[in-house]
Amino acid sequence: MASKRLEKLPPYLFVEIDRLKESYARSGRTVLDLGIGDPDLGAPPALVRLLKTALDRREYHRYPHDRGLPLLVDAIRRWAGRRHETTLEREEVLVTIGSKEAIGHLPLAVVDEGDAVLVPDPGYPVYHSSAVFAGAESVRVPLDPARGWWPDFAAIDGPLRERARLLYLNYPNNPTAAVAGRERFVEALDFCRDAGIVLVNDAAYGEITYGTPAQLLFPLARETGVPYIEFFSFSKTFSITGWRVGFAVGSPEIVSALARVKSNIDSGVFGAIQEAAAVALDDFFDELVGRVRDVYAERRNILARSLERSGLEFAMPQATFYFWVRTPGGADSIDFCRSLLEERGIVATPGVGFGPGGEGFFRLSITTGIETIREAGRKLEEIRHSM
């Protein structure tokens, strides 16, 4: 027996992709996986050494502090001051089990049944599912390609504004790889202030940038009085998706509400992982992030050259490790991705899996080795001759 809430959710996109991929591999053919964005780089050796040392601390084998170890909370505060010239108080910071679980739990903390939650379309599926689980109405807000994949707040009518309690943003953006500048975040803050809406930015890809550093929400939002929260993940930054550690920065009342939900549902992040993340954040953050960026920059350039030769339409990513590519001739995204796998062995993510606004696009990820990317690129170049 499944709840009615589960019946409102589509099959989780990445589970379906894994099923198709495994079926293809069982046939003995080589899979070129540019699908799910799970970094292949592995944890930096220095971070692994820190974790091994911390494992010997007996206190970490008990329940961790429910809002995060002060060691990590204070390291996050120093990072905010050093990198973003912003002074955070402890009550503005919450350690999370990665960013996905915190995003999923947020509506339980700030939304009542029947409230509207505004989710980007296309967007990370968890924004929609989190609203559904909270008994709220998930309202998809189209991202306008002509505005750099940014929502048109003027198109959100008065009645919906009155019912809306939460607005999700995600910049740098998954799946489109779009970035948002200062003026965009100011626009969002003005909209939320006028409508009385909690503003959320998922900044999981905030450090995966090429050239200009990403604009973040919290340095702008703290002084506005607009209730907000911004989510960060060490998963992408340090290539440790399996470690499940991240953090949130936000208005004390929003952070506190989320912390109350979490204290009733989970018991926090293993202390040894928190210590390792804290030391890395303090002592060699720039070094680790620089190496990750260099790897992805090389891969990005390789795939971009092949996409250019393929004749497929795409924008060069300025952040994230994704390419957002238009399907040729307006083809259905699921059908096109199925043909990519069956005919060329390439795993890609159909755009429609991120919402109706993603139809006509597909997403490619560069979280795999260079040789796989090169081979996939060569096969993508063949598309020009079949168009």
Side-chain angles (χ1 to χ4, degrees):
M1 293 178 61
S3 71
K4 291 181 180 179
R5 285 192 174 96
L6 283 178
E7 293 174 358
K8 295 179 181 179
L9 300 178
Y12 192 57
L13 174 68
F14 302 129
V15 174
E16 293 295 300
I17 291 172
D18 279 343
R19 184 183 61 79
L20 290 172
K21 182 172 61 178
E22 290 169 6
S23 175
Y24 185 90
R26 281 197 299 270
S27 70
R29 294 174 288 182
T30 300
V31 174
L32 304 169
D33 192 352
L34 275 61
I36 297 174
D38 189 1
D40 65 314
L41 304 179
L47 199 57
V48 174
R49 288 193 295 271
L50 288 170
L51 178 59
K52 288 179 177 178
T53 299
L55 283 171
D56 289 332
R57 303 192 192 281
R58 292 183 60 187
E59 64 267 29
Y60 291 156
H61 297 270
R62 308 186 73 183
Y63 288 122
H65 192 285
D66 61 350
R67 293 188 60 149
L69 291 180
L71 178 74
L72 179 53
V73 170
D74 287 341
I76 292 165
R77 295 171 63 209
R78 288 189 290 272
W79 165 84
R82 185 175 66 247
R83 199 164 184 81
H84 300 286
E85 299 181 344
T86 302
T87 301
L88 294 175
E89 303 301 326
R90 282 189 174 181
E91 59 266 26
E92 295 177 275
V93 179
L94 177 68
V95 174
T96 62
I97 308 174
S99 57
K100 181 178 181 179
E101 69 83 9
I103 290 167
H105 286 145
L106 179 64
L108 295 175
V110 300
V111 170
D112 291 318
E113 289 195 21
D115 286 344
V117 174
L118 307 178
V119 303
D121 179 21
Y124 183 43
V126 176
Y127 309 139
H128 170 73
S129 61
S130 70
V132 171
F133 286 139
E137 178 188 1
S138 174
V139 179
R140 297 186 186 274
V141 177
L143 300 184
D144 184 354
R147 304 184 78 219
W149 296 99
W150 181 259
D152 181 4
F153 297 126
I156 300 174
D157 62 32
L160 177 55
R161 291 188 188 206
E162 292 179 4
R163 292 188 296 109
R165 175 63 176 155
L166 196 64
L167 167 64
Y168 280 114
L169 297 178
N170 170 213
Y171 296 95
N173 186 262
N174 171 25
T176 70
V179 295
R182 178 187 178 90
E183 70 284 354
R184 291 301 197 195
F185 279 117
V186 170
E187 179 186 348
L189 286 163
D190 289 344
F191 169 76
C192 289
R193 179 193 296 108
D194 294 342
I197 295 172
V198 179
L199 179 58
V200 185
N201 185 49
D202 174 7
Y205 302 92
E207 297 294 343
I208 311 299
T209 60
Y210 311 101
T212 305
Q215 174 67 61
L216 298 178
L217 174 62
F218 79 88
L220 301 174
R222 294 182 68 251
E223 309 304 326
T224 66
V226 176
Y228 83 97
I229 191 165
E230 189 163 30
F231 293 105
F232 299 85
S233 175
F234 291 112
S235 294
K236 277 56 175 195
T237 307
F238 291 158
S239 300
I240 51 171
T241 51
W243 290 32
R244 309 315 306 141
V245 58
F247 63 96
V249 172
S251 306
E253 66 273 20
I254 305 301
V255 169
S256 178
L258 178 56
R260 287 179 62 190
V261 169
K262 286 173 54 58
S263 67
N264 281 279
I265 291 177
D266 67 65
S267 295
V269 178
F270 181 34
I273 292 175
Q274 292 193 57
E275 179 180 308
V279 176
L281 203 57
D282 271 338
D283 292 354
F284 38 85
F285 179 82
D286 291 341
E287 176 186 349
L288 294 182
V289 171
R291 289 177 179 174
V292 168
R293 286 198 195 111
D294 288 346
V295 169
Y296 288 139
E298 181 181 10
R299 295 176 180 184
R300 179 189 70 146
N301 293 339
I302 290 170
L303 185 56
R305 286 193 292 269
S306 289
L307 285 171
E308 288 168 355
R309 288 191 284 262
S310 75
L312 292 167
E313 181 183 341
F314 73 101
M316 187 68 162
Q318 301 305 306
T320 80
F321 38 58
Y322 301 122
F323 282 75
W324 188 237
V325 188
R326 191 177 293 275
T327 59
D332 176 271
S333 62
I334 292 178
D335 288 346
F336 180 74
C337 288
R338 184 178 290 114
S339 71
L340 272 183
L341 178 59
E342 293 175 349
E343 298 173 13
R344 306 179 197 281
I346 298 172
V347 178
T349 306
V352 74
F354 300 96
E359 186 53 270
F361 292 85
F362 64 100
R363 193 193 73 179
L364 297 172
S365 171
I366 52 174
T367 55
T368 190
I370 281 181
E371 289 309 312
T372 296
I373 291 171
R374 284 193 173 122
E375 180 61 20
R378 284 192 286 268
K379 291 181 177 295
L380 287 168
E381 290 174 30
E382 298 170 359
I383 290 175
R384 177 182 288 276
H385 304 293
S386 62
M387 290 168 60

